Each structure stands twice: as structure tokens, then as C-alpha cells.
Amino acid sequence: MTHGQAQLIAEAERRLGPKAIITDQQDIEPWVTDWRGRVHGAASAMLAPASTEEVAEIVRLAAELRVPLVPQGGNTGMVAGATPPGDGSALLLSMRRMNRIRSVSAEDRRAVAEAGVVLETLHEAADDVGMRFPLTLGARGSCTIGGLTSTNAGGTQVLKFGTMRSLVAGVEAILPDGSIHDGLSGLKKDNRGYSLDQLLIGAEGTLGVITAVALRLVPAIGARTVAWVGLESPTRALELLRFLEARTDGIEGFELVPQDSLRLVLKHVPNTRPPLSGEHDWQVLVEATTPDADHDVAGELERLLGAALQQGIIEDAVLAANEAQAEAFWKIRDTISEAERAEGQTLAHDISVAVADMPAFLVSASGKVERAFPGVVASGFGHLGDGNIHFHVRAGAHAAPDWYEREGEAITRFVDDLVTAAGGSISAEHGIGQLKRAELARLAPPGRIHALRAIKQALDPLGIMNPGKLVP
Ligand SMILES: Cc1cc2nc3c(=O)[nH]c(=O)nc-3n(C[C@H](O)[C@H](O)[C@H](O)COP(=O)(O)OP(=O)(O)OC[C@H]3O[C@@H](n4cnc5c(N)ncnc54)[C@H](O)[C@@H]3O)c2cc1C
């Protein structure tokens, strides 16, 4: 522990009380490794403030004593953004005690949640007033509003509602000098120059600590239906999406699943079964919803899929007969990564290209990767309608146990080069954190890197906010 850290811990304990300081390494241990278990850090203490004012106190002390802080929510991020450096030079700043929903209003269509509120808790609070917070993802039981905002998370309903950036109406945060930015006023219009709120969304804790967020709510779901569709190619899948979108505004989930992924789920995940009787090279999970409980959304989707079948866009389709079957369809989609892990070593890439380009990109990139690295299986699944695919490369059946360490970097560079050449992004929704920083430095245009560094330097000249993350 450095002298500055010891001083900060002692002073924070004096001002905030013992509850806000954790120094027992057994309690800290689960929080210094990233969710995937790949990056291991170290921290001599975890600070756990319970209010905006307490966060401000800590940040002021950190600035004064030059002690770097690593903000952390649920630690479910995919790029080790919340993992402290391995040399113990930073302290963890856990936001999980700031877990109050300050307000939730159907009339204003708005909730104000503190940074440590777990996504599922917000879902329930919105539901209680007949509303809905429409962003959801697999980690909903542990990821927090602060983490979701800081990574500008996406999820499965982006098609209709956008990422966090579209759903955040304002941010309250502590800036690196300890001052409070209060963006929770609820103003619909505010053009006083640069938007600090927008800068903080997706900043991965490098520009300040988010303490609370105003969030947009939408009316609760009145009825929903989920269909499983078999088709011949990603091109056909995008054609289907456009066909549906031209005829209904109810489509909010549209997830592409290759046959290979379905096969792995059926092999490794208990209690799963193929939704369709025949085999199809590609499938799509379609979810349609309506806030109007009297609207026959299932009948509408059935009719539209029937028309798509007649026009040769799709090969087959089935509608979930009830909620249990709808959940069973989603389970197939949600357990693809788990099934891949059970099958063997897998490299994950969260990439995006322009929506219209994704079908051709996916097919051609898979072929190029498989030719360049014989034996691997390359494939993509996920949010086709957002141009965002989880492009995964699996080791071949006879790969060495250290395949990931030996070949991983070369394969990732190959994939990232293909994405960059296609004008795409090497991080569609997971952020940069530690894991993608070198690739961002290698591939981002000089102007983008210059702007990132200039913004970081202007707001955090002492470099105390989440050092070693995001900014190359
Ligand atoms: C099973 C699973 C499924 C997922 N699915 C998706 C998906 O579909 N789409 C998607 O976009 N992401 C997905 N994710 C990753 C997603 O980024 C995280 O779940 C979530 O956004 C991070 O929230 P968290 O509270 O765990 O943040 P953490 O992991 O704790 O932190 C993430 C980053 O935000 C910073 N941070 C955290 N809190 C604050 C704060 N209060 N102020 C400032 N900075 C802060 C951290 O320093 C770090 O850089 C998934 C993760 C898992 C485990």
C-alpha cells in the first residue's frame, strides 16, 4: 500500500465511517478479477460510498493525494474495464451501496436510479407503476445502472429502443476534481454547449464517477409473441427484418442464430430442443410486442411470416404457443456462449459493420478466418438488425490446450483488420476497457485517438480516474 493510499483510507474512514472502507482481502478478492476470469488485478482497499456527497469526498481526497480510483458496479463487463491494475496502484470504488431508486413516475415516463441499482431491480420498479425500462441483457441480475451507462450497453432490444445512450435522460456524476455535475434536471431541451452527460455515457469510468442516472421509461408490454424462423442465409434474414418492419412497428427482438450454434446448444444445454422439425442453415428469433393488450400481435406476426414464406424469404417458422415456449426459444439464444464454452476454447469478438453490409461480411469473414487458420470454426450470432454480431472463432477438435494463448492474438488481429477494412467497429457494445486498448491504438484513426486523449487530459489532468482503460 502506498503512503497516499494509507492516508486516503484513514481519512475516508474518519469522514465516512468504517462501512465505507473494506480492507479485508477475502472480501476484496472476488472483485479484482474480471467476469471472464482472464485479468487479475490487486487493490489494498475497496471504497464503498453510500451517497453522492460521500463519492465526492472520496474523489476530492483521491485528487489531493494522487490516488487512482477504479469505479466498479456489478463487475460483469466484458473487457476488464472494472478490474484494477495488477500492481496495486489503484483503489477499487464500489458503487453497489448507492442502490436507491430515487423516483419512478409513469406520468413523467422517467425513473431516477442511483448508480448501484441492479438492472433487474429497475425493471421491477418500472413494472410496479405500469411502465417498462426497455433495455435488457443476460447479466440483468447483477449489472448496475452506473456500469450500463458507463459502457453504453446495448442488449437484445436495441433495434427498437436503442442503447443506453438513447435511454439516458441525464447523468449525475462526480468529476475528477471532486465537483458534482448534476444533469438530472429532466430538461428536454438544453443546448448549453458540450453535453457532459453524453461524454460520461460510454466513458468507462475514465472521466468521472456516475452517481445517479435519469432513465426514460416506456409503457409496459401488453402482449408479446416470439417466433423461431428457419432460413437459408443472413441475407434472407435481413430481408425478413425489412419485410416485417415495413408492415409492423412491433418488432423489437431479431436475433440471428447459425445452425452450428443451435447444434452446440442442443448438445450441451440441458432441456433444450429444436424449435423446428427440419434443419436450416440459419435461424432467427423474432420477438414482437405491443403495449396494447387488445392488439393481436401473435396473429399479426403469424400472418406476416406466412406471407414471407409464400414469397420465399423464409423456409419455415413456428410461433411459441405460450410464455414457457417463448422463454425456451430465448434460452437457446441466451445460452450460445455457454454451449460454446462447453464445446472447447472460443475467441469472442463483439463487432459491428453497417447493417446492410453485415450479411455479406459475416459469410465472407467466416470463410477468410477458416482459410487463414485451418481447423478453426468461425461463426456469428446475435443482433443482426443492429449490424452487431458476436463473431466467435472456435478451436478445432484437435487444438492444443494452449490454443487460446498461442493463436488468440493473431486471430483477433485478423478479425479486427477485416472489420476495420469494412468500415466497422472492433467494439460494438462491450467497450474497450483493458482488453481492446491495444487494438484501438493500432486501428483507430489518429484523429479519434487525439480527441480521446485531449478529452481525458482536459477533464482528468491528474489521471486518477480508471487509469490504463479505454484511452490509448
Ligand atoms: C451474461 C452477460 C451478458 C451480457 N450481455 C450484454 C449485452 O447483450 N449487451 C451489452 O452491451 N453488454 C452485455 N454484457 C456486458 C455489459 O457491459 C455489462 O453487463 C454492464 O454494462 C456492466 O455493468 P456493471 O455494473 O457490471 O459494470 P462493471 O463491469 O462493474 O464496469 C464496467 C465499466 O464501467 C465502469 N463503471 C462502473 N460503474 C461506474 C460508475 N458508477 N461510474 C463510472 N464508471 C463506472 C467501470 O470502471 C468499467 O469500466 C453482458 C455481460 C454478461 C456477464
Side-chain angles (χ1 to χ4, degrees):
M1 186 185 306
T2 64
H3 182 58
Q5 289 180 357
Q7 271 184 290
L8 190 151
I9 291 166
E11 191 54 29
E13 188 156 9
R14 194 181 66 75
R15 294 189 202 179
L16 313 181
K19 260 189 166 173
I21 320 291
I22 296 133
T23 49
D24 184 337
Q25 281 300 313
Q26 266 191 347
D27 295 335
I28 296 173
E29 225 268 324
W31 305 102
V32 292
T33 296
D34 77 308
W35 189 82
R36 288 190 207 265
R38 298 238 163 89
V39 183
H40 306 283
S44 55
M46 182 159 76
L47 310 170
S51 69
T52 303
E53 205 29 69
E54 288 191 2
V55 178
E57 287 265 21
I58 289 172
V59 175
R60 271 182 230 128
L61 280 171
E64 194 183 309
L65 298 162
R66 309 285 195 269
V67 175
L69 299 171
V70 178
Q72 188 180 75
N75 197 25
T76 68
M78 292 292 190
V79 288
T83 310
D87 61 5
S89 56
L91 299 181
L92 262 180
L93 179 60
S94 166
M95 297 302 290
R96 291 182 291 278
R97 280 182 72 217
M98 280 199 70
N99 58 5
R100 219 163 42 89
I101 294 182
R102 293 187 189 166
S103 63
V104 52
S105 159
E107 201 182 326
D108 294 342
R109 294 183 159 217
R110 188 160 294 200
V112 175
E114 290 186 343
V117 169
V118 168
L119 178 58
E120 207 163 56
T121 308
L122 176 69
H123 285 160
E124 286 160 8
D127 197 50
D128 285 347
V129 297
M131 298 296 283
R132 169 185 183 210
F133 181 64
L135 183 142
T136 189
L137 44 80
R140 70 185 80 84
S142 44
C143 66
T144 64
I145 297 306
L148 290 160
T149 307
S150 298
T151 57
N152 184 27
T156 46
Q157 327 299 118
V158 171
L159 190 63
K160 187 159 181 188
F161 299 105
T163 62
M164 280 303 278
R165 206 176 280 288
S166 329
L167 293 167
V168 170
V171 172
E172 177 192 89
I174 306 303
L175 300 177
D177 63 354
S179 59
I180 298 178
H181 162 67
D182 181 358
L184 300 180
S185 57
L187 297 178
K188 196 156 180 176
K189 294 179 131 185
D190 177 14
N191 274 351
R192 288 174 288 176
Y194 306 137
S195 166
L196 265 182
D197 292 347
Q198 289 299 321
L199 265 183
L200 288 159
I201 300 169
E204 301 185 26
T206 62
L207 298 180
V209 186
I210 293 176
T211 47
V213 184
L215 299 144
R216 300 197 166 94
L217 304 180
V218 300
I221 294 176
R224 80 155 178 168
T225 187
V226 177
W228 192 269
V229 181
L231 27 71
E232 108 190 335
S233 65
T235 301
R236 286 296 198 200
L238 190 55
E239 202 179 328
L240 172 65
L241 176 62
R242 297 308 183 220
F243 178 88
L244 295 172
E245 283 178 335
R247 290 160 181 82
T248 171
D249 57 8
I251 306 299
E252 67 169 68
F254 195 88
E255 297 289 308
L256 184 69
V257 179
Q259 176 59 23
D260 178 57
S261 297
L262 176 61
R263 187 180 63 76
L264 292 184
V265 169
L266 299 176
K267 180 175 167 191
H268 294 291
V269 181
N271 304 320
T272 50
R273 57 181 60 187
L276 294 167
S277 51
E279 273 207 2
H280 305 270
D281 287 346
W282 295 86
Q283 15 253 306
V284 167
L285 180 155
V286 184
E287 179 169 273
T289 68
T290 169
D292 177 3
D294 294 332
H295 179 71
D296 181 13
V297 68
E300 179 179 65
L301 187 61
E302 189 172 19
R303 183 176 56 76
L304 292 175
L305 289 174
L309 187 68
Q310 277 201 334
Q311 292 187 25
I313 301 171
I314 66 175
E315 295 173 342
D316 201 359
V318 60
L319 247 62
N322 49 42
E323 266 299 303
Q325 206 175 22
E327 284 306 315
F329 289 0
W330 268 112
K331 183 174 174 183
I332 294 174
R333 161 63 185 89
D334 286 340
T335 52
I336 293 175
S337 294
E338 179 186 324
E340 283 180 340
R341 269 201 301 275
E343 180 74 3
Q345 303 174 72
T346 303
L347 269 169
H349 306 95
D350 162 44
I351 58 165
S352 67
V353 298
V355 177
D357 297 342
M358 186 47 99
F361 176 85
L362 180 51
V363 173
S364 107
S366 303
K368 284 178 182 161
V369 171
E370 288 179 358
R371 281 192 296 279
F373 301 92
V376 305
V377 180
S379 181
F381 64 91
H383 326 304
L384 182 72
D386 309 330
N388 172 200
I389 288 292
H390 299 301
F391 188 81
H392 289 191
V393 181
R394 250 184 20 250
H398 305 294
D402 60 350
W403 172 85
Y404 186 92
E405 286 75 25
R406 284 209 341 222
E407 298 233 28
E409 194 180 324
I411 295 174
T412 294
R413 286 168 76 100
F414 189 89
V415 171
D416 288 347
D417 283 344
L418 292 175
V419 173
T420 305
S425 167
I426 62 165
S427 181
E429 58 177 10
H430 292 161
I432 298 296
Q434 302 184 54
L435 295 183
K436 294 190 176 181
R437 198 160 155 248
E439 281 296 81
L440 184 72
R442 187 174 74 85
L443 295 168
R448 178 182 279 264
I449 292 182
H450 170 74
L452 284 176
R453 287 182 179 152
I455 292 167
K456 171 75 175 168
Q457 175 63 25
L459 287 183
D460 183 21
L462 302 173
I464 58 157
M465 290 308 312
N466 214 1
K469 313 289 166 52
L470 172 59
V471 184

